[in-house]
Amino acid sequence: MHAAIAPDLILTNGRILTSDADNTEAEAVAVKMGRILAVGSSREIMALRGSATQVLDLRGRTVLPGLTDPHVHLADDGAASLHNIDVRDFNTNVRSIDHILEVVRAQAREVPPGTWIVGTGSPMQDFRMPEKRFPRREELDLVAPDHPVYIGFGAHVTIANSKALELAKVTKETQAPGGGAIELDAITGELTGKLVERAQYLVKSAKPPFTYEEMKEGIVFATKRALRRGVTTIHDVVTNNETIRAYQELAAEGRLPVRVSMMIRIIEAKVTPESMLNLGLKTGFGNDWIRIGGVKMSIDGGITGRVAAFSQPYADDPCRCGLIRIPREELDSTVDAYHRAGNRVCIHAIGDTAMDMALDAVDKALTANPREDHRHRIEHLGNWMITPERLARIRKLDVLPVPNVPFLHYIHDSLMECMGPERLEGAFGVRTMLESGIKLTSGSDGPGYWPADPLRDICTSVSRKIWSGATVGPEEAISVEQALRMFTINAAYNGFDERIKGSIEPGKLADLAVLAENPFTVEAEKIKDIPVDMTIVDGKVAFMHEQAVDLHH
Ligand SMILES: [Zn+2]
């Protein structure tokens, strides 16, 4: 073939799972100028080869369209995932208090005295450690007497050492702020180091915040991690001007390895509710690398903190129903204003009260100004309490629920505790939703508690096997084909990107994930362990696994 039209790159001799309308499987794919040029048999594609074409022999490896994680907090949590020590049992082999202390001790030897050591633990990790408790202040003092140390376990509990408490000016006499608690030992009356809810900020705010550069490096770090799991597009919840600026700079510097659709939070954020309206910016503004994917707002709080807003009290706290952060009038008017201005709204709603408020707000905006193809999203909808009535309403309004399969994988047990089995009947009903015709995807909500890893979520959706080893709701299990589509073509649709992404078809962006094994042939519960050998973004190899030696040249 003539050099000018010959492909830049050919991947041959593989199993190409295209995720096209018929889920066609091919052997080879040709790439030119960052786009897919042709898909077919190895013989057909190799015939296109020119003198300058790079050829990669896949040796039977599986290729998927680049995966999308449609709900992450990557810019906000990236710096912490780079700079903090990681003691999450979800994510590491740390399983006991001794092991946590070992990690802290090692870090204390690494950094000069006086430097803050901040750790990231998992929510409810105390339940899962043999000691059945969190570490204590004195234990942290023993391994890091000269460093201020604190470790956050999920969003609600922080454990600090004496140095950190001292810098935060927290003593046993300190009055905890409203909605918070400073724990004192029942016998000695001394600080245990445990700070709950709003009292956590006493010590968190004593540490100097990440600098702009640290935040920017954190984004690079976290996007590279996502790339290692075949992710080529993220939908990131951004909450401030600095992260939006960092994304633009990284893209201009050629250091942004994945494509970013920004959901810009406009309430309880540094960006004001009017700002995007004032600029006249619509959803879709930007380019193939960074664009505005919508405006984000959170009606209620999180589930593990018992601040998601339910109509009935929490199972383990009969006095609480959660918290509404955006009153109905404000929600309705904000959704209406952004809907009219041509934006897509992404409304966080976890409890049933919040879910119905979100559906009501979209309903009102659409009734006042009908619009085809609005693709308004409700974040976390689809996790639980999808009654036939709600499902019918979702279909009628044509909103996109974005549930979080990792909640099922990691925290199902604690959800049971706080919500009770009745409300979790049929939870994570992925199959029911898909079969009702919803173009369903799932967001990880990572990387704060767990990494962005769609292969793990494909695995959970197919096997219904969770972190603890239990099987939950096997009747909602879906096929590998369906699960792959959730994170490829359906996620692309969710990003208004189905014409350029989400399947391996000529003309689409050449974003591809090369897996060491085929998810159709490995055991369902092992899909999460499949290594990604290579990730290609825009036709270029953006990640190559160290062990994938035979792919190197
Ligand atoms: Zn979130």
Side-chain angles (χ1 to χ4, degrees), residues 185 198-199 281-282 305 344 448 534:
D185 187 280
R198 291 200 180 148
L281 292 181
K282 291 174 62 164
R344 178 257 285 275
M534 187 165 70

Short mmCIF file of all heavy atoms in Angstrom, two decimals, residues 185 198-199 281-282 305 344 448 534:
data_model
loop_
_atom_site.label_atom_id
_atom_site.label_comp_id
_atom_site.label_asym_id
_atom_site.label_seq_id
_atom_site.Cartn_x
_atom_site.Cartn_y
_atom_site.Cartn_z
N ASP A 185 -10.04 8.52 76.40
CA ASP A 185 -10.03 7.17 76.98
C ASP A 185 -10.96 7.12 78.19
O ASP A 185 -10.93 7.99 79.07
CB ASP A 185 -8.60 6.82 77.41
CG ASP A 185 -8.49 5.38 77.85
OD1 ASP A 185 -8.87 5.07 79.00
OD2 ASP A 185 -8.04 4.57 77.03
N ARG A 198 -16.73 16.05 62.01
CA ARG A 198 -16.17 17.40 61.83
C ARG A 198 -14.94 17.67 62.68
O ARG A 198 -14.18 18.60 62.38
CB ARG A 198 -17.24 18.46 62.10
CG ARG A 198 -18.29 18.40 61.01
CD ARG A 198 -19.09 19.66 60.91
NE ARG A 198 -20.07 19.51 59.83
CZ ARG A 198 -21.26 20.06 59.82
NH1 ARG A 198 -21.63 20.83 60.82
NH2 ARG A 198 -22.07 19.87 58.81
N ALA A 199 -14.72 16.89 63.74
CA ALA A 199 -13.52 17.10 64.57
C ALA A 199 -12.25 16.74 63.80
O ALA A 199 -11.15 17.16 64.15
CB ALA A 199 -13.62 16.26 65.84
N LEU A 281 -20.92 28.76 28.72
CA LEU A 281 -20.30 27.49 28.34
C LEU A 281 -21.33 26.36 28.38
O LEU A 281 -22.04 26.20 29.36
CB LEU A 281 -19.15 27.16 29.29
CG LEU A 281 -17.94 28.07 29.20
CD1 LEU A 281 -16.87 27.62 30.17
CD2 LEU A 281 -17.38 28.09 27.78
N LYS A 282 -21.37 25.60 27.30
CA LYS A 282 -22.29 24.46 27.23
C LYS A 282 -21.53 23.15 27.40
O LYS A 282 -20.33 23.09 27.17
CB LYS A 282 -23.00 24.44 25.88
CG LYS A 282 -23.98 25.57 25.70
CD LYS A 282 -24.56 25.62 24.30
CE LYS A 282 -25.35 24.37 23.95
NZ LYS A 282 -26.22 24.61 22.76
N GLY A 305 -21.00 7.83 56.06
CA GLY A 305 -21.07 8.86 57.11
C GLY A 305 -22.49 9.06 57.62
O GLY A 305 -22.73 9.95 58.43
N ARG A 344 -25.72 19.70 30.50
CA ARG A 344 -26.17 18.43 31.08
C ARG A 344 -25.89 18.52 32.58
O ARG A 344 -24.82 18.95 33.00
CB ARG A 344 -25.37 17.31 30.44
CG ARG A 344 -25.69 15.93 30.97
CD ARG A 344 -24.67 15.43 31.92
NE ARG A 344 -23.45 14.99 31.25
CZ ARG A 344 -23.28 13.78 30.74
NH1 ARG A 344 -24.23 12.89 30.81
NH2 ARG A 344 -22.13 13.45 30.18
N GLY A 448 -9.96 7.74 45.86
CA GLY A 448 -9.79 7.97 47.30
C GLY A 448 -9.84 6.69 48.13
O GLY A 448 -8.96 6.44 48.94
N MET A 534 -0.92 -3.40 27.73
CA MET A 534 -0.62 -2.18 26.99
C MET A 534 -1.89 -1.34 26.87
O MET A 534 -2.98 -1.88 26.72
CB MET A 534 -0.12 -2.57 25.58
CG MET A 534 0.38 -1.43 24.76
SD MET A 534 1.32 -2.04 23.32
CE MET A 534 0.03 -2.75 22.37
#
